[in-house]
Amino acid sequence: DIQLTQSPSSLSASVGDRVTITCRASQSIANYLNWLQQRPGRAPRVLIFATSSLEAEVPSRFSGDASGTDFTLTITSLQPEDFATYSCQQYYSLPYTFGQGTTVEIK
Amino acid sequence: EVQVVESGGDLVQPGGSLRLSCLISGVSIRSSWMTWVRQAPGKGLEWVANINEDETQKNYVASVKGRFTISRDNAKSSVFLQMSSLRGDDTALYYCARGGWLLEYWGQGTLVTVSP
């Protein structure tokens, strides 16, 4: 199975900060990676699919990129509603797997 | 408005069985893969199983293979997860989502607790 390792596991940031989360795949997965957001008590939702494509209605302050097997989710100018847990998910091969999640907390 | 509602979660003893249901409204599932994902307390998301449109393809994570069975009823916009030989590490919030590689719509989850 493909392992996805996210870093950091958690971070504290302030409103307006720029935040970058990394997801490293254990092997090449091309661009078959999504990013999901999960707010407390709410269902997860996809923010970015295929590494860098923004899902409908997702604010443009979210962006995704990749370099080899390292994928990044960047949030420019963090907003109060962005404090949540973010997970990456690969769909290159079954079983599809998720990273362990990165929790973004208020500083 | 799209709604995904899971049900059937409960407290069950090790070795027991449970059937989870997922009802989707506001969008058709006939042409979509459907997926179950779970989240153990304090842990990350874990992909469990998915099923294609006509039930000819079903995929499972290794830890549930042979114990869980995914199925669907397109006429009732429903997906099911039959779970048997349940173990403590199956304790989790179980989510249903529409999609295969892109999980577009999710429910709030149904809680399965496996404990003596």
Side-chain angles (χ1 to χ4, degrees):
Chain A
D1 299 359
I2 295 174
Q3 309 298 318
L4 297 178
T5 303
Q6 288 183 232
S7 59
S9 296
S10 65
L11 64 91
S12 294
S14 301
V15 172
D17 284 353
R18 178 186 179 96
V19 166
T20 297
I21 299 167
T22 297
C23 174
R24 174 167 290 174
S26 59
Q27 66 179 73
S28 174
I29 58 171
N31 71 329
Y32 298 126
L33 186 113
N34 301 329
W35 287 98
L36 295 88
Q37 177 194 63
Q38 189 172 15
R39 294 174 181 150
R42 296 182 64 171
R45 69 159 176 159
V46 174
L47 298 176
I48 290 172
F49 63 94
T51 297
S52 59
S53 296
L54 219 58
E55 185 70 309
E57 300 181 11
V58 173
S60 58
R61 62 181 180 272
F62 291 93
S63 64
D65 202 352
S67 175
T69 57
D70 288 344
F71 297 80
T72 56
L73 170 70
T74 298
I75 312 170
T76 57
S77 190
L78 203 64
Q79 296 301 300
E81 61 268 28
D82 300 337
F83 292 95
T85 296
Y86 295 86
S87 300
C88 52
Q89 174 229 333
Q90 66 83 20
Y91 55 97
Y92 181 80
S93 68
L94 289 163
Y96 298 157
T97 48
F98 293 87
Q100 81 277 17
T102 295
T103 301
V104 177
E105 300 169 326
I106 303 173
K107 184 183 286 184
Chain B
E1 182 195 2
V2 177
Q3 284 197 316
V4 180
V5 180
E6 302 94 338
S7 61
D10 204 348
L11 171 63
V12 61
Q13 292 190 339
S17 298
L18 214 53
R19 187 188 194 221
L20 305 184
S21 299
C22 171
L23 176 64
I24 303 95
S25 60
V27 68
S28 172
I29 69 166
R30 289 183 181 276
S31 302
S32 300
W33 283 72
M34 295 296 298
T35 298
W36 286 96
V37 174
R38 67 185 178 184
Q39 187 167 33
K43 302 295 185 181
L45 299 168
E46 181 183 30
W47 183 92
V48 175
N50 69 4
I51 184 170
N52 73 337
E53 300 86 341
D54 60 4
E55 297 192 273
T56 54
Q57 296 181 59
K58 300 179 183 182
N59 301 294
Y60 302 91
V61 68
S63 60
V64 309
K65 220 172 270 188
R67 300 188 300 121
F68 290 12
T69 301
I70 190 171
S71 62
R72 64 192 292 161
D73 184 337
N74 289 335
K76 295 183 178 179
S77 286
S78 295
V79 184
F80 309 98
L81 189 67
Q82 178 67 48
M83 306 186 294
S84 61
S85 302
L86 283 161
R87 313 185 304 218
D89 60 0
D90 295 318
T91 293
L93 187 62
Y94 284 73
Y95 293 102
C96 168
R98 191 186 89 151
W101 64 273
L102 180 62
L103 302 176
E104 303 168 279
Y105 303 108
W106 295 64
Q108 296 289 334
T110 186
L111 183 62
V112 173
T113 304
V114 183
S115 180

